[in-house]
Amino acid sequence: MQQRFTCLFIVLISLVFVSCKQQQYEVIGYTPTDLTAEGKKVYLTNNQYGVLDSTIVHQGSFKLSGKLPPGETSLYASIRISPLYLLPIILEPGYTIQAPMHEFAASGSPLNNDLKAFLLDLDSVEAHYLEALRGKNIIGTQINANGVIHLDDIDALYLAMRKGKIALSKKILEQHPNDVVGVQALLVILNEMGEQDIKSFNRITGELGSVIRNNKQVEYMAKLFNNGVRTNEGNPYTNFQGALANGEPAYFSDFIEMGKYTLVDFSADWCEPCRIQTQELIKLNEKYANYPINFVTVCVEVSNDKRIYCNPNIVPWKTIIDNNYDAINSYKVKTIPEVIIIDPNGYIVARNLRGENLKAKLNELLCNTPKTQVN
């Protein structure tokens, strides 16, 4: 009996040892040979758990190792050498993961290899359309005589790029329906998918495993997606809190005058396409000076290492400053500039308007007869 008990005890200890070892990760990192990162601090971080580990770059390399948080079988994280490098990585126990800081992602394990291939393919999709924006005309978009792309052309290119990224991400999601690579693919889909695709969204998320469905980032992005659905055409406008130029708090509802249309321009001083559209909006504001419509700018401030402030004096109408991203999150604004039109009863009648589409919509809403044209 004593011998059997001893054997059982040894087996249990062995299982615990193997289980602990299976949760261990190991990362070998490399930095370029120009010595810019030599001696700098390396941080391994995760959005949910914060800093998991840290070390120092020594002779162009570093090593990170540790144990995954309880309940995790793999974990998406980032390696940061501020302000030089940021590398996405999946902590996958049982492998020595390679982390070359000058590349797109880590490698050396099945999940990391698939994530790296996915990110490279995404970059290729984006590069394809960015080349078109630079005037290479590789997808048949005509650039006008002076080499400037109109906002409508930008919208068409952006829409095509979004569709390409969604198609690629859906393929990855089919291959990874319940792991952290699938999480990253779904995050791309949620960011790029239009609110009119709500049925597709429900179908995709309904077929996924618990690792993806219960991910905090997925839950947050799903909330933003639903915000976009809630602020789509035909729904009442959503209120949010921002600030006036003097820093005093203000609510969006204070800028809405019932009985009149409200043109809402999500914009920013630091955004070149926004500055182009602002000049067009100033002309339209003059054209419609005697019509029942007010213009409002929602100016998006950026707060990173260096804060970029808004200048409300650029336009002759009221400006509310989105200093905490409440506005762009409430309306799921993917890119700026974006124009939303609210009708006299407080309902959204149009979104994602720019260029000629914006001009045509204003003409449709405000002119007394269909034949009246606004030049």
Side-chain angles (χ1 to χ4, degrees), residues 127-160:
H128 180 78
Y129 293 102
L130 288 175
E131 282 300 310
L133 283 174
R134 294 188 185 102
K136 301 299 184 181
N137 199 24
I138 60 177
I139 60 171
T141 299
Q142 296 298 319
I143 310 302
N144 65 13
N146 59 6
V148 177
I149 301 179
H150 289 298
L151 291 174
D152 293 334
D153 299 322
I154 295 176
D155 284 343
L157 288 166
Y158 178 65
L159 179 60

Side-chain angles (χ1 to χ4, degrees), residues 223-244:
K223 178 182 177 181
L224 291 186
F225 182 86
N226 287 320
N227 285 350
V229 174
R230 189 164 49 250
T231 56
N232 212 349
E233 296 173 7
N235 294 316
Y237 80 87
T238 294
N239 199 16
F240 61 83
Q241 184 175 1
L244 301 175

Side-chain angles (χ1 to χ4, degrees), residues 44-52 69-72 74-78 80 180 183 211 214-219:
L44 178 65
T45 63
N46 169 268
N47 287 340
Q48 181 177 350
Y49 297 106
V51 178
L52 301 170
E72 302 286 359
S74 60
L75 190 68
Y76 182 84
S78 298
R80 301 173 184 269
V180 289
V183 167
V211 170
N214 298 332
N215 180 271
K216 297 299 182 183
Q217 283 183 287
V218 169
E219 290 176 353

